[in-house]
Amino acid sequence: MKLSVVIPAYNEEESLPPTLRSLYQTLAKHGIPHEIFVTNDNSKDNTLKVLQNLAATEIPTLVYHTNPGPNGFGYAVRYGLERFSGDCVAVFMADLSDDPEDLVKYYNKMLETDVDAVFGSRWEKEGKVIDYPPLKKFINRIANFIVRLVMGIKYNDTTNAFKLYKRETIEGIKPFLSPHFNLTVELPLKSIVRGYSYAVVPNSWTNRKYGESKLKIKEMGSRYFFILMYCLIEKYFSQGDFRKKSATSAPQSVSR
């Protein structure tokens, strides 16, 4: 099963070299066939030059494209999700906040269980966060509690972007609506609502060492709410028009 890793990158010239080296070395060590697909989201720094150099000299599985626009986190991820070549695809952060070894666990879990998606959780017993800003953590837990309550699900880390989907799952949850970070909520919620199976794997998160976060919490509240309401309406009023054809019951998470 070929793995594609979609990485959105905007002004990440410092973060990308250690991220891509670590990711490539880990996947190669475990013998996982893969491509690393980086969407350069019209960066204003030397991100493109960094990608050109790494692809030419160090990382043969690196594929990169520049998204001409519109730009933004969601658009950059969607650009990659429309063009990846693998049998499954993961969304991975350019700042190495996600652990490549966790991606290997996702991949193996999908192989072992044949689920349609694997979701990470930083708040499971074996999950962890390192240098997580206290205010961001507080807002994160409140937001995820609201999602769980409104949608009636047990999964506790919907806002976690780091997830793995089969190609068929990605095709089944189109069209995408979110242009910003709310895409991280749209993808898993639509997967669940449309009847795709998933497993939950504990994962770790480490705060970035370089640059600054692109997530602006004040700007995202209404956008997250919009996607949450869309998925809620689809769940109860779509008459199952978008559900996975072979699904006969609500999706369940498998053993951790």
Side-chain angles (χ1 to χ4, degrees):
M1 184 171 68
K2 182 179 178 181
L3 167 67
S4 291
V5 187
V6 169
I7 303 177
Y10 177 72
N11 292 348
E12 296 285 6
E13 62 178 343
E14 294 179 298
S15 296
L16 278 173
T19 297
L20 298 180
R21 287 175 183 135
S22 177
L23 182 59
Y24 172 69
Q25 291 166 6
T26 300
L27 296 178
K29 178 181 68 175
H30 289 277
I32 297 176
H34 70 276
E35 70 167 355
I36 301 172
F37 189 111
V38 179
T39 303
N40 169 38
D41 201 33
N42 256 331
S43 299
K44 302 302 187 289
D45 64 357
N46 290 317
T47 291
L48 181 57
K49 291 182 179 179
V50 167
L51 290 170
Q52 291 171 337
N53 181 62
L54 289 172
T57 62
E58 297 185 48
I59 306 177
T61 58
L62 175 59
V63 178
Y64 60 90
H65 293 268
T66 295
N67 175 22
N71 300 116
F73 176 87
Y75 285 124
V77 174
R78 287 163 56 178
Y79 191 93
L81 293 181
E82 293 290 352
R83 294 166 175 81
F84 73 94
S85 65
D87 303 299
C88 59
V89 59
V91 178
F92 197 89
M93 295 296 99
D95 57 11
L96 201 56
S97 55
D98 303 319
D99 187 341
E101 289 290 347
D102 286 334
L103 180 55
V104 174
K105 295 177 184 177
Y106 288 17
Y107 179 85
N108 288 334
K109 175 65 75 172
M110 183 170 281
L111 283 179
E112 293 165 5
T113 62
D114 198 34
V115 289
D116 299 313
V118 178
F119 299 161
S121 175
R122 298 162 289 186
W123 316 107
E124 293 281 315
K125 184 178 180 180
E126 297 178 12
K128 64 179 179 179
V129 294
I130 300 172
D131 195 24
Y132 205 99
L135 177 60
K136 184 176 179 180
K137 180 179 180 180
F138 175 77
I139 294 174
N140 177 288
R141 302 322 301 141
I142 293 294
N144 277 282
F145 173 77
I146 292 173
V147 170
R148 291 172 65 190
L149 183 66
V150 170
M151 297 300 298
I153 60 177
K154 295 182 178 180
Y155 178 51
N156 65 358
D157 202 8
T158 305
T159 58
N160 183 0
F162 185 24
K163 296 177 171 69
L164 175 66
Y165 303 88
K166 284 184 177 179
R167 172 177 287 276
E168 294 80 4
T169 308
I170 290 297
E171 293 301 319
I173 61 177
K174 290 179 179 178
F176 304 129
L177 304 175
S178 304
H180 301 288
F181 278 87
N182 48 341
L183 185 69
T184 63
V185 173
E186 178 183 353
L187 298 181
L189 287 186
K190 285 169 74 175
S191 298
I192 294 172
V193 167
R194 296 185 181 185
Y196 291 90
S197 61
Y198 66 97
V200 178
V201 174
N203 75 287
S204 63
W205 183 93
T206 304
N207 202 5
R208 63 165 56 237
K209 295 181 180 180
Y210 309 103
E212 61 180 20
S213 173
K214 310 304 185 295
L215 173 60
K216 307 301 180 184
I217 295 176
K218 291 182 179 179
E219 300 175 3
M220 288 308 302
S222 62
R223 289 168 175 152
Y224 280 118
F225 181 76
F226 164 73
I227 287 300
L228 178 59
M229 289 300 99
Y230 174 89
C231 292
L232 182 66
I233 290 170
E234 182 175 309
K235 178 178 181 179
Y236 289 107
F237 297 101
S238 71
Q239 302 293 321
D241 291 337
F242 306 105
R243 284 183 65 83
K244 180 183 177 183
K245 300 305 180 184
S246 61
T248 58
S249 60
Q252 300 292 327
S253 60
V254 301
S255 60
R256 271 71 167 173

